[in-house]
Amino acid sequence: MSKIVMKTPLVEMDGDEMTRIIWEYVKDELIHPFVDLKTEYYDLGLAYRDETDDQVTIDSAEATKKYGVAVKCATITPNAERVKEYNLKSMWKSPNGTIRAILDGTVFRTPIAVKGIEPLVRTWKKPICIARHAYGDVYKNTEMRIDKPGKAELVFTGEDGNESRSLIHSFDSEGIIMGMHNTDKSIQSFARSCFNYALDQKLDLWFSTKDTISKVYDHHFKDVFQEIFEKEYADKFKDAGIEYFYTLIDDAVARVIRSEGGYVWACKNYDGDVMSDMVATAFGSLAMMTSVLVSPDGHYEYEAAHGTVQRHYYKHLKGLPTSTNSVATIFAWSGALRKRGELDGLNDLVLFADKLESAVTQTIEDGVMTGDLAAISQLPNKRAVDTLGFIQEIRKRLAASM
Ligand code: NAP
Ligand code: MG
């Protein structure tokens, strides 16, 4: 059998610990045998980030802007312990944060549904994709403890020196205050990313905020979405047979629980943080979720939503067997290859991505899975295998389907 040929390279961002081990296995067992893989390789492993003063992270994000599609392995975000462990020159920032700031995007997370792992919500038949705005609000806030009576005000000073003020609260005893912000530019990119993604996936788009209470702040999000939708997307949605609608977050939550799934739910930063954890848990596990960063310019970065699985890595280093779930990493590769195939008009590559994903679900539905899934699967004949064994089982099924 001849290998599938690629045109444009994928931007490959290697990572750390157990996921770095899985990265090699996935390429060796599931990609190289079938695809003449073309990548531009960036080593985002912590040691090389340190060696290059984190320049490699910036270069990898710039390369994503150049080529359009990246696939990223999970990476360590250093804390004080890691600085010691890796003898780092500095506590480098989160690579995901750096990449996101350069690409300016929205993160879309969708559970991977398989038979035997049933959602805790009985009505859910199809995945629910959460689109989380990744800038501002409570994540970029300023907070203050008030320890005596007095007046708290919101003050904006224009570059011309003019001030506008509004009273927050007159305190007659202790309390707390917080200031937060967002920018039109960021909200507009969030909106465009969501509309583009819904079109790409041919899924309805829901958006919710608390605009009845937050009549300026949240209401502005609603207005920005509505304006961009009407000007740029209404016709495209009609042609694609999909719908955009806005609803109050309280109503959205009730509808989500009663729904069958099968749509994109756009959430403000905090709502998306909390709701994606809820949705992922109700669907099964963080290792059974796809994650893609989509920029408003149409650049894509595919990744696994979980971390580097450090505890398993230390076992691996001691020569002990591990049973680490590689599904999210494999789907990062299949997602990136499919997108590359679509952009380059390579139908074989698109088909390969579909087959790779089918081989993964087939393996799990045949009862062969890693320990984390065996613990929750309702299949009667399930069998837990080790990290490499699972990938080799997928390879068998993939090879048979090629
Ligand atoms: P983690 O790597 O997601 O792992 C937490 C625990 O979840 C694991 O110990 C394991 O539980 C379970 N788990 C996660 N992924 C799994 C998988 N694929 N298969 C089986 N079990 C899995 O989170 P962490 O331990 O908090 O973080 C480790 C490192 O990852 C940190 O340095 C952090 O900075 C980094 N991180 C990176 C990203 C990213 O790059 N996207 C995201 C989050 C965290 P058991 O041990 O009970 O089996
Ligand atoms: Mg969270």
Side-chain angles (χ1 to χ4, degrees):
M1 194 196 71
S2 63
K3 290 189 192 182
I4 296 163
V5 176
M6 290 179 67
K7 218 185 264 172
T8 316
L10 279 178
V11 177
E12 176 182 353
M13 305 170 173
D14 206 345
D16 288 299
E17 300 194 314
M18 200 60 205
T19 39
R20 190 179 178 100
I21 307 286
I22 287 176
W23 198 255
E24 277 307 307
Y25 290 165
V26 169
K27 286 199 293 177
D28 287 348
E29 298 285 332
L30 301 177
I31 310 209
H32 287 313
F34 309 100
V35 179
D36 192 5
L37 183 66
K38 260 193 183 176
T39 73
E40 193 165 289
Y41 180 85
Y42 292 86
D43 184 359
L44 302 199
L46 188 50
Y48 195 64
R49 272 184 276 148
D50 193 51
E51 197 182 314
T52 61
D53 294 341
D54 210 23
Q55 185 60 39
V56 65
T57 308
I58 296 163
D59 292 347
S60 72
E62 293 298 341
T64 307
K65 280 179 144 177
K66 178 175 166 196
Y67 293 112
V69 187
V71 56
K72 180 180 171 292
C73 181
T75 47
I76 293 169
T77 297
N79 54 17
E81 263 167 48
R82 299 298 201 164
V83 171
K84 245 195 246 154
E85 182 185 353
Y86 284 80
N87 192 22
L88 300 179
K89 292 187 233 167
S90 164
M91 199 187 291
W92 306 110
K93 283 197 223 155
S94 150
N96 289 327
T98 302
I99 294 166
R100 222 171 274 162
I102 294 172
L103 296 179
D104 179 21
T106 302
V107 177
F108 296 87
R109 293 197 162 160
T110 312
I112 300 160
V114 290
K115 279 196 208 85
I117 298 170
E118 305 301 333
L120 295 170
V121 178
R122 269 178 289 125
T123 51
W124 290 356
K125 306 274 183 264
K126 291 177 252 172
I128 295 166
C129 169
I130 302 260
R132 174 185 170 188
H133 186 207
Y135 178 81
D137 300 353
V138 75
Y139 301 85
K140 282 249 179 213
N141 68 3
T142 305
E143 305 178 312
M144 215 185 269
R145 172 84 172 110
I146 302 299
D147 58 5
K148 55 177 172 285
K151 177 169 78 163
E153 287 177 301
L154 212 50
V155 182
F156 172 76
T157 315
E159 279 183 350
D160 58 7
N162 287 333
E163 261 181 26
S164 32
R165 306 177 161 250
S166 119
L167 179 72
I168 297 172
H169 189 66
S170 281
F171 286 91
D172 51 25
S173 61
E174 296 93 340
I176 39 182
I177 55 171
M178 174 169 83
M180 57 186 201
H181 79 282
N182 223 296
T183 66
D184 279 23
K185 184 166 173 270
S186 178
I187 301 168
Q188 288 158 359
S189 340
F190 173 40
R192 289 199 176 91
S193 298
C194 291
F195 291 130
N196 287 338
Y197 191 76
L199 277 171
D200 189 64
Q201 300 288 308
K202 300 228 170 3
L203 291 172
D204 288 344
L205 176 68
W206 302 12
F207 180 42
S208 59
T209 73
K210 192 73 178 175
D211 65 298
T212 49
I213 299 297
S214 172
K215 290 187 196 312
V216 174
Y217 198 106
D218 278 19
H219 206 281
H220 190 60
F221 275 80
K222 176 182 173 180
D223 289 345
V224 168
F225 267 67
Q226 193 59 37
E227 195 187 321
I228 291 181
F229 178 71
E230 281 166 17
K231 270 202 198 136
E232 302 171 27
Y233 291 94
D235 291 342
K236 292 180 193 159
F237 268 55
K238 212 170 172 190
D239 292 346
I242 58 173
E243 210 188 313
Y244 164 66
F245 79 94
Y246 174 86
T247 186
L248 185 67
I249 187 144
D250 311 46
D251 179 50
V253 168
R255 282 177 191 244
V256 164
I257 296 298
R258 287 196 310 263
S259 78
E260 278 203 345
Y263 48 85
V264 180
W265 180 13
C267 291
K268 284 179 60 204
N269 211 344
Y270 172 80
D271 300 342
D273 183 355
V274 180
M275 289 301 153
S276 66
D277 283 346
M278 186 197 70
V279 167
T281 307
F283 269 105
S285 136
L286 212 57
M288 295 296 286
M289 186 138 97
T290 64
S291 181
V292 56
L293 173 72
V294 183
S295 86
D297 309 326
H299 303 130
Y300 294 77
E301 183 235 296
Y302 293 82
E303 53 160 19
H306 59 75
T308 58
V309 213
Q310 180 183 18
R311 223 176 54 83
H312 295 208
Y313 179 59
Y314 290 164
K315 266 173 83 178
H316 173 83
L317 287 182
K318 284 190 199 144
L320 296 169
T322 57
S323 184
T324 314
N325 189 331
S326 49
V327 172
T329 302
I330 298 170
F331 272 65
W333 275 99
S334 59
L337 289 170
R338 178 184 296 107
K339 180 52 71 184
R340 200 61 274 167
E342 286 169 3
L343 293 175
D344 290 347
L346 302 172
N347 202 36
D348 280 3
L349 198 57
V350 175
L351 222 61
F352 171 76
D354 293 345
K355 284 181 177 169
L356 175 53
E357 291 178 3
S358 298
V360 172
T361 26
Q362 191 59 54
T363 304
I364 301 169
E365 292 178 356
D366 286 347
V368 182
M369 58 194 86
T370 46
D372 58 320
L373 295 184
I376 54 170
S377 168
Q378 283 140 18
L379 293 182
N381 59 338
K382 61 193 175 187
R383 174 164 67 91
V385 289
D386 66 16
T387 308
L388 182 57
F390 178 63
I391 293 169
Q392 287 168 336
E393 287 279 347
I394 296 168
R395 178 174 176 170
K396 270 194 238 163
R397 288 163 181 80
L398 176 61
S401 77
M402 291 301 290

PDB file of all heavy atoms in Angstrom, residues 97-113:
ATOM      1  N   GLY A  97      -1.243  29.820  27.000  1.00  0.00           N
ATOM      2  CA  GLY A  97      -1.541  31.247  27.135  1.00  0.00           C
ATOM      3  C   GLY A  97      -0.794  32.060  26.082  1.00  0.00           C
ATOM      4  O   GLY A  97      -1.371  32.947  25.441  1.00  0.00           O
ATOM      5  N   THR A  98       0.495  31.737  25.891  1.00  0.00           N
ATOM      6  CA  THR A  98       1.319  32.463  24.914  1.00  0.00           C
ATOM      7  C   THR A  98       0.769  32.270  23.500  1.00  0.00           C
ATOM      8  O   THR A  98       0.608  33.227  22.738  1.00  0.00           O
ATOM      9  CB  THR A  98       2.781  31.953  24.977  1.00  0.00           C
ATOM     10  OG1 THR A  98       3.252  32.131  26.310  1.00  0.00           O
ATOM     11  CG2 THR A  98       3.679  32.673  24.004  1.00  0.00           C
ATOM     12  N   ILE A  99       0.456  31.030  23.171  1.00  0.00           N
ATOM     13  CA  ILE A  99      -0.041  30.717  21.824  1.00  0.00           C
ATOM     14  C   ILE A  99      -1.393  31.401  21.592  1.00  0.00           C
ATOM     15  O   ILE A  99      -1.645  31.994  20.546  1.00  0.00           O
ATOM     16  CB  ILE A  99      -0.146  29.185  21.629  1.00  0.00           C
ATOM     17  CG1 ILE A  99       1.254  28.561  21.662  1.00  0.00           C
ATOM     18  CG2 ILE A  99      -0.863  28.837  20.335  1.00  0.00           C
ATOM     19  CD1 ILE A  99       1.267  27.050  21.823  1.00  0.00           C
ATOM     20  N   ARG A 100      -2.256  31.335  22.623  1.00  0.00           N
ATOM     21  CA  ARG A 100      -3.576  31.947  22.523  1.00  0.00           C
ATOM     22  C   ARG A 100      -3.462  33.461  22.307  1.00  0.00           C
ATOM     23  O   ARG A 100      -4.206  34.047  21.528  1.00  0.00           O
ATOM     24  CB  ARG A 100      -4.335  31.683  23.816  1.00  0.00           C
ATOM     25  CG  ARG A 100      -5.768  31.317  23.616  1.00  0.00           C
ATOM     26  CD  ARG A 100      -6.387  30.847  24.924  1.00  0.00           C
ATOM     27  NE  ARG A 100      -6.154  29.432  25.149  1.00  0.00           N
ATOM     28  CZ  ARG A 100      -6.271  28.843  26.340  1.00  0.00           C
ATOM     29  NH1 ARG A 100      -6.569  29.543  27.416  1.00  0.00           N
ATOM     30  NH2 ARG A 100      -6.078  27.558  26.462  1.00  0.00           N
ATOM     31  N   ALA A 101      -2.518  34.079  23.014  1.00  0.00           N
ATOM     32  CA  ALA A 101      -2.366  35.533  22.891  1.00  0.00           C
ATOM     33  C   ALA A 101      -1.925  35.896  21.473  1.00  0.00           C
ATOM     34  O   ALA A 101      -2.348  36.913  20.938  1.00  0.00           O
ATOM     35  CB  ALA A 101      -1.370  36.044  23.915  1.00  0.00           C
ATOM     36  N   ILE A 102      -1.087  35.060  20.852  1.00  0.00           N
ATOM     37  CA  ILE A 102      -0.602  35.357  19.498  1.00  0.00           C
ATOM     38  C   ILE A 102      -1.682  35.061  18.455  1.00  0.00           C
ATOM     39  O   ILE A 102      -1.896  35.829  17.525  1.00  0.00           O
ATOM     40  CB  ILE A 102       0.700  34.583  19.197  1.00  0.00           C
ATOM     41  CG1 ILE A 102       1.820  35.098  20.125  1.00  0.00           C
ATOM     42  CG2 ILE A 102       1.109  34.712  17.725  1.00  0.00           C
ATOM     43  CD1 ILE A 102       3.101  34.306  20.090  1.00  0.00           C
ATOM     44  N   LEU A 103      -2.403  33.950  18.637  1.00  0.00           N
ATOM     45  CA  LEU A 103      -3.407  33.576  17.633  1.00  0.00           C
ATOM     46  C   LEU A 103      -4.746  34.274  17.874  1.00  0.00           C
ATOM     47  O   LEU A 103      -5.575  34.346  16.979  1.00  0.00           O
ATOM     48  CB  LEU A 103      -3.619  32.062  17.613  1.00  0.00           C
ATOM     49  CG  LEU A 103      -2.418  31.216  17.189  1.00  0.00           C
ATOM     50  CD1 LEU A 103      -2.772  29.748  17.230  1.00  0.00           C
ATOM     51  CD2 LEU A 103      -1.949  31.597  15.797  1.00  0.00           C
ATOM     52  N   ASP A 104      -4.973  34.757  19.109  1.00  0.00           N
ATOM     53  CA  ASP A 104      -6.195  35.478  19.464  1.00  0.00           C
ATOM     54  C   ASP A 104      -7.437  34.648  19.182  1.00  0.00           C
ATOM     55  O   ASP A 104      -8.212  34.961  18.289  1.00  0.00           O
ATOM     56  CB  ASP A 104      -6.253  36.799  18.678  1.00  0.00           C
ATOM     57  CG  ASP A 104      -7.516  37.591  18.982  1.00  0.00           C
ATOM     58  OD1 ASP A 104      -8.120  37.340  20.046  1.00  0.00           O
ATOM     59  OD2 ASP A 104      -7.889  38.448  18.166  1.00  0.00           O
ATOM     60  N   GLY A 105      -7.635  33.597  19.919  1.00  0.00           N
ATOM     61  CA  GLY A 105      -8.730  32.704  19.549  1.00  0.00           C
ATOM     62  C   GLY A 105      -9.729  32.341  20.629  1.00  0.00           C
ATOM     63  O   GLY A 105      -9.762  32.913  21.706  1.00  0.00           O
ATOM     64  N   THR A 106     -10.543  31.385  20.262  1.00  0.00           N
ATOM     65  CA  THR A 106     -11.559  30.818  21.135  1.00  0.00           C
ATOM     66  C   THR A 106     -11.303  29.310  21.204  1.00  0.00           C
ATOM     67  O   THR A 106     -10.938  28.715  20.199  1.00  0.00           O
ATOM     68  CB  THR A 106     -12.953  31.067  20.545  1.00  0.00           C
ATOM     69  OG1 THR A 106     -13.117  32.472  20.388  1.00  0.00           O
ATOM     70  CG2 THR A 106     -14.052  30.524  21.449  1.00  0.00           C
ATOM     71  N   VAL A 107     -11.480  28.718  22.386  1.00  0.00           N
ATOM     72  CA  VAL A 107     -11.237  27.287  22.530  1.00  0.00           C
ATOM     73  C   VAL A 107     -12.561  26.522  22.453  1.00  0.00           C
ATOM     74  O   VAL A 107     -13.499  26.841  23.174  1.00  0.00           O
ATOM     75  CB  VAL A 107     -10.540  26.987  23.869  1.00  0.00           C
ATOM     76  CG1 VAL A 107     -10.347  25.487  24.043  1.00  0.00           C
ATOM     77  CG2 VAL A 107      -9.205  27.705  23.949  1.00  0.00           C
ATOM     78  N   PHE A 108     -12.596  25.536  21.572  1.00  0.00           N
ATOM     79  CA  PHE A 108     -13.788  24.701  21.418  1.00  0.00           C
ATOM     80  C   PHE A 108     -13.504  23.310  21.966  1.00  0.00           C
ATOM     81  O   PHE A 108     -12.540  22.680  21.540  1.00  0.00           O
ATOM     82  CB  PHE A 108     -14.176  24.600  19.946  1.00  0.00           C
ATOM     83  CG  PHE A 108     -14.576  25.916  19.358  1.00  0.00           C
ATOM     84  CD1 PHE A 108     -13.616  26.767  18.828  1.00  0.00           C
ATOM     85  CD2 PHE A 108     -15.896  26.332  19.367  1.00  0.00           C
ATOM     86  CE1 PHE A 108     -13.971  28.007  18.310  1.00  0.00           C
ATOM     87  CE2 PHE A 108     -16.260  27.567  18.845  1.00  0.00           C
ATOM     88  CZ  PHE A 108     -15.298  28.408  18.318  1.00  0.00           C
ATOM     89  N   ARG A 109     -14.335  22.869  22.899  1.00  0.00           N
ATOM     90  CA  ARG A 109     -14.142  21.542  23.492  1.00  0.00           C
ATOM     91  C   ARG A 109     -15.387  20.690  23.312  1.00  0.00           C
ATOM     92  O   ARG A 109     -16.481  21.114  23.673  1.00  0.00           O
ATOM     93  CB  ARG A 109     -13.794  21.676  24.969  1.00  0.00           C
ATOM     94  CG  ARG A 109     -12.449  22.323  25.126  1.00  0.00           C
ATOM     95  CD  ARG A 109     -11.835  22.148  26.475  1.00  0.00           C
ATOM     96  NE  ARG A 109     -10.413  22.439  26.332  1.00  0.00           N
ATOM     97  CZ  ARG A 109      -9.597  22.753  27.314  1.00  0.00           C
ATOM     98  NH1 ARG A 109     -10.066  22.775  28.558  1.00  0.00           N
ATOM     99  NH2 ARG A 109      -8.326  23.002  27.084  1.00  0.00           N
ATOM    100  N   THR A 110     -15.179  19.478  22.777  1.00  0.00           N
ATOM    101  CA  THR A 110     -16.306  18.583  22.490  1.00  0.00           C
ATOM    102  C   THR A 110     -16.026  17.189  23.033  1.00  0.00           C
ATOM    103  O   THR A 110     -14.971  16.632  22.740  1.00  0.00           O
ATOM    104  CB  THR A 110     -16.509  18.467  20.956  1.00  0.00           C
ATOM    105  OG1 THR A 110     -16.494  19.771  20.395  1.00  0.00           O
ATOM    106  CG2 THR A 110     -17.815  17.781  20.635  1.00  0.00           C
ATOM    107  N   PRO A 111     -16.950  16.613  23.794  1.00  0.00           N
ATOM    108  CA  PRO A 111     -16.751  15.250  24.277  1.00  0.00           C
ATOM    109  C   PRO A 111     -16.757  14.242  23.127  1.00  0.00           C
ATOM    110  O   PRO A 111     -17.457  14.447  22.136  1.00  0.00           O
ATOM    111  CB  PRO A 111     -17.959  15.001  25.187  1.00  0.00           C
ATOM    112  CG  PRO A 111     -18.594  16.322  25.397  1.00  0.00           C
ATOM    113  CD  PRO A 111     -18.211  17.197  24.255  1.00  0.00           C
ATOM    114  N   ILE A 112     -15.975  13.182  23.273  1.00  0.00           N
ATOM    115  CA  ILE A 112     -15.941  12.096  22.288  1.00  0.00           C
ATOM    116  C   ILE A 112     -16.862  11.004  22.817  1.00  0.00           C
ATOM    117  O   ILE A 112     -16.595  10.414  23.865  1.00  0.00           O
ATOM    118  CB  ILE A 112     -14.509  11.548  22.122  1.00  0.00           C
ATOM    119  CG1 ILE A 112     -13.558  12.650  21.655  1.00  0.00           C
ATOM    120  CG2 ILE A 112     -14.482  10.346  21.170  1.00  0.00           C
ATOM    121  CD1 ILE A 112     -12.086  12.372  21.902  1.00  0.00           C
ATOM    122  N   ALA A 113     -17.955  10.769  22.096  1.00  0.00           N
ATOM    123  CA  ALA A 113     -18.951   9.813  22.595  1.00  0.00           C
ATOM    124  C   ALA A 113     -18.629   8.402  22.116  1.00  0.00           C
ATOM    125  O   ALA A 113     -18.301   8.201  20.952  1.00  0.00           O
ATOM    126  CB  ALA A 113     -20.332  10.231  22.099  1.00  0.00           C
TER     127      ALA A 113
END
